[in-house]
Amino acid sequence: MKSWPIIGDIPKLLGNNRDFYNSMAKYTTEYREPGILCFWLGIQPIVVVFKDEYVQEVIGNTKHIEKNMFYKFLYPWLGNGLLTSGGSKWFKSRKMLTPSFHYNILNSFLIVMQNQSNILCNKLDEMVGKGEFNIRPYITNSTLDIITETAMGQCVNAQDDQNPEYIQSVNRISDIIIYQSKSPWLWPAFLFNLHPLGREAAKCLKYLHSFTDKVIEERKTLYLESLQKNSDNKDDETLGKKKMAFLDTLLDKLHEGEIDKKDLREEVDTFMFEGHDTTAAGINWTLYFIAAYPDVQKKLQKESMIYGESEEVTLSNLKKLTYLDCVIKEVQRLYPSVPLIGRLAAEDFKIGPYGIKKGSHVFVGIGPLHRDPNVYPDPSTFDPDRFLSEDNDRHPYAFIPFSAGPRNCIGQKFAMLEEKIVLSRIIQKFNLETTQTLEELEPTFDLVLKPFAGVRVKLSHR
């Protein structure tokens, strides 16, 4: 077996989240040829793979489905939900929740996404003629309203709140979790809890859990009222089961005794976070590139005329937005919302010529994987035309913005529909401009890859 390519400049990796992102980009470029590297964090070796065939070895089968030790830092917040769980617990949750993302159910969400997008555009309308502004908070608020109204059945009206405490708490707990994960001296829970960051994390978690509990209780009240009115709640229109499938599925399982209240809240916490933050990041990155590339914007505006601004969105007219689909995918290639995913090696195995021991902590570098020059010529260049036609020669694991294999993202179709609807509505109504350079965006890895400086755009009416 080959000797390991090992990096040793750990201080930069342990710097701020922008340093971490930049250092990882540097090292994966330097070790592009082997497509794998290792570094030591304390006494723990960390393996990072970013070559398509190696990535498949890690996430392409059911053997290595356990998340690695770094996901334990999410437990106080998300518990043992679908993102963090493994083994029989993960299989049970995945099987239970998959029907909630059926084609027919997603179709029923379109009107909610459209209505919330229209509210967003009304908010953005107030910024026309006021010069450049940071659009990121507007997008984040809208995605929070979309996930709560669709999956949870209770819209929190974040778009009417200029600075929702839930989003502030999510941002802060994400920062703290990343800091703790890079600080071995804070790994023991009792030491972290004594640290000022531990106490701050406890305050954030108290609010986040109370917020989730409130959403659950409000929906549960409607659920129980419906059961009283109609014992066959599957056909009850007042419950709106088809529309609010995710939380109602969990309430069904709770009512039937298959899960307990703790299980329910863990899944809701997970989907509240993943359902708004990752999608918001994807939309924000895409808006930057639309504003920065006028030719791309013109093509998108022309394509968006397929359906009118007042016309109801359907799956059939969304499928016609093929160039928008290419733009979204190219942005996902350059700036995937989750650029690193972790696994725990379930057994000894080989990745190419390198031996991996059972119990090793392995990361798949989606960001560097998507910038392999052997797969994507001139990989740092924004070029949506790459996705105009299906590249049959491309390895199936060379483009995985929603992960891949058995633990791929359960909500990827939901996310793509949401991005298309929100972006197409903005494109229909506004011209976007920006003077912000790509370097000024400063990508930062806070659980989700975000532009640290926000996205500054100038809007005018079309």
Side-chain angles (χ1 to χ4, degrees):
M1 289 186 291
K2 271 192 175 183
S3 60
W4 277 92
I6 298 178
I7 60 175
D9 193 4
I10 301 304
K12 288 185 179 179
L13 285 172
L14 299 182
N16 64 46
N17 296 347
R18 283 162 285 162
D19 289 340
F20 177 82
Y21 176 85
N22 292 331
S23 297
M24 190 59 70
K26 171 193 168 187
Y27 291 125
T28 52
T29 300
E30 183 179 341
Y31 292 97
R32 171 62 62 192
E33 184 54 36
I36 191 170
L37 57 82
C38 178
F39 63 92
W40 290 81
L41 190 54
I43 61 172
Q44 184 62 58
I46 309 298
V47 177
V48 182
V49 299
F50 44 96
K51 182 181 287 189
D52 46 26
E53 58 191 274
Y54 295 174
V55 168
Q56 184 173 14
E57 290 294 325
V58 178
I59 63 174
N61 56 58
T62 57
K63 292 180 181 178
H64 313 296
I65 64 166
E66 299 283 340
K67 296 298 181 75
N68 63 30
M69 65 169 283
F70 292 93
Y71 287 77
K72 75 176 184 179
F73 302 114
L74 291 167
Y75 287 173
W77 178 15
L78 305 181
N80 203 24
L82 192 63
L83 175 65
T84 54
S85 61
S88 59
K89 174 69 164 64
W90 173 78
F91 278 109
K92 178 182 176 182
S93 296
R94 182 79 183 207
K95 183 179 180 181
M96 174 179 67
L97 295 173
T98 294
S100 299
F101 296 91
H102 186 273
Y103 174 92
N104 291 334
I105 292 174
L106 292 178
N107 190 43
S108 69
F109 290 158
L110 297 184
I111 188 64
V112 173
M113 294 179 181
Q114 178 176 330
N115 290 341
Q116 290 297 339
S117 298
N118 290 339
I119 294 172
L120 169 63
C121 286
N122 290 337
K123 298 290 181 182
L124 294 178
D125 206 39
E126 299 172 6
M127 301 305 296
V128 171
K130 295 185 178 180
E132 283 193 344
F133 69 100
N134 182 12
I135 200 171
R136 189 170 81 178
Y138 293 84
I139 301 302
T140 305
N141 292 349
S142 68
T143 59
L144 180 57
D145 276 347
I146 287 171
I147 192 64
T148 55
E149 187 173 356
T150 54
M152 307 305 164
Q154 300 292 318
C155 181
V156 297
N157 298 313
Q159 295 198 80
D160 292 331
D161 187 344
Q162 293 300 311
N163 207 6
E165 188 176 350
Y166 178 84
I167 291 173
Q168 293 180 58
S169 299
V170 167
N171 290 338
R172 187 57 188 143
I173 197 67
S174 298
D175 288 340
I176 293 172
I177 289 170
I178 291 293
Y179 183 85
Q180 184 188 14
S181 71
K182 295 186 295 182
S183 309
W185 56 93
L186 292 179
W187 287 358
F190 77 95
L191 289 179
F192 177 69
N193 292 337
L194 293 172
H195 192 276
L197 283 179
R199 294 193 289 272
E200 186 180 358
K203 290 180 181 179
C204 287
L205 292 174
K206 182 178 180 180
Y207 175 79
L208 290 170
H209 288 156
S210 66
F211 183 94
T212 305
D213 287 338
K214 183 174 182 291
V215 170
I216 293 171
E217 286 304 313
E218 289 178 356
R219 189 62 187 168
K220 185 178 177 181
T221 299
L222 294 176
Y223 178 90
L224 293 175
E225 288 175 357
S226 177
L227 285 183
Q228 291 176 353
K229 291 178 182 178
N230 189 341
S231 60
D232 187 11
N233 65 312
K234 293 180 181 179
D235 296 324
D236 186 9
E237 292 300 324
T238 61
L239 182 61
K241 189 178 184 64
K242 289 184 179 179
K243 183 180 177 184
M244 311 301 181
F246 173 77
L247 183 49
D248 289 331
T249 295
L250 292 171
L251 289 170
D252 270 348
K253 300 301 180 184
L254 178 68
H255 183 71
E256 294 164 5
E258 294 186 29
I259 62 172
D260 57 25
K261 290 182 179 179
K262 181 173 176 290
D263 293 328
L264 190 152
R265 193 180 76 177
E266 288 172 347
E267 299 298 356
V268 173
D269 276 326
T270 297
F271 275 80
M272 286 282 287
F273 163 59
E274 288 200 293
H276 94 275
D277 214 25
T278 54
T279 310
I283 293 171
N284 277 303
W285 285 114
T286 306
L287 285 172
Y288 170 77
F289 282 97
I290 291 172
Y293 288 79
D295 291 345
V296 169
Q297 185 170 173
K298 288 177 183 176
K299 290 180 182 178
L300 290 172
Q301 289 174 337
K302 183 178 180 181
E303 182 181 71
S304 70
M305 294 169 63
I306 287 172
Y307 68 97
E309 193 176 324
S310 60
E311 184 181 343
E312 186 173 316
V313 175
T314 64
L315 289 176
S316 60
N317 56 32
L318 285 175
K319 287 179 181 177
K320 296 175 184 176
L321 300 176
T322 53
Y323 190 64
L324 178 58
D325 191 65
C326 292
V327 170
I328 292 172
K329 286 179 178 178
E330 177 66 349
V331 173
Q332 290 172 339
R333 184 187 69 81
L334 288 167
Y335 296 100
S337 293
V338 182
L340 280 176
I341 54 176
R343 292 289 188 273
L344 185 70
E347 60 185 20
D348 291 354
F349 73 109
K350 288 185 69 176
I351 297 180
Y354 304 98
I356 307 291
K357 291 289 187 182
K358 179 180 179 180
S360 295
H361 298 282
V362 184
F363 280 97
V364 169
I366 297 178
L369 169 74
H370 286 179
R371 293 181 184 237
D372 187 342
N374 297 314
V375 180
Y376 304 101
D378 200 7
S380 296
T381 298
F382 174 69
D383 181 13
D385 289 357
R386 298 179 200 271
F387 292 95
L388 278 176
S389 60
E390 195 65 34
D391 186 350
N392 295 322
D393 294 330
R394 185 188 300 143
H395 193 284
Y397 281 74
F399 179 68
I400 54 168
F402 294 101
S403 187
R407 289 203 75 150
N408 66 349
C409 175
I410 194 173
Q412 58 185 288
K413 291 181 180 178
F414 179 102
M416 285 298 290
L417 285 176
E418 182 178 350
E419 288 202 32
K420 277 190 169 185
I421 291 172
V422 172
L423 289 166
S424 63
R425 280 313 199 201
I426 294 174
I427 292 163
Q428 282 179 327
K429 191 163 185 178
F430 303 105
N431 294 307
L432 292 85
E433 301 175 56
T434 185
T435 61
Q436 194 174 22
T437 64
L438 193 57
E439 291 71 26
E440 289 173 336
L441 288 170
E442 298 184 275
T444 181
F445 184 39
D446 302 322
L447 296 183
V448 172
L449 185 64
K450 300 176 182 178
F452 177 79
V455 174
R456 297 197 314 269
V457 297
K458 177 184 176 182
L459 298 180
S460 61
H461 289 130
R462 288 185 59 188

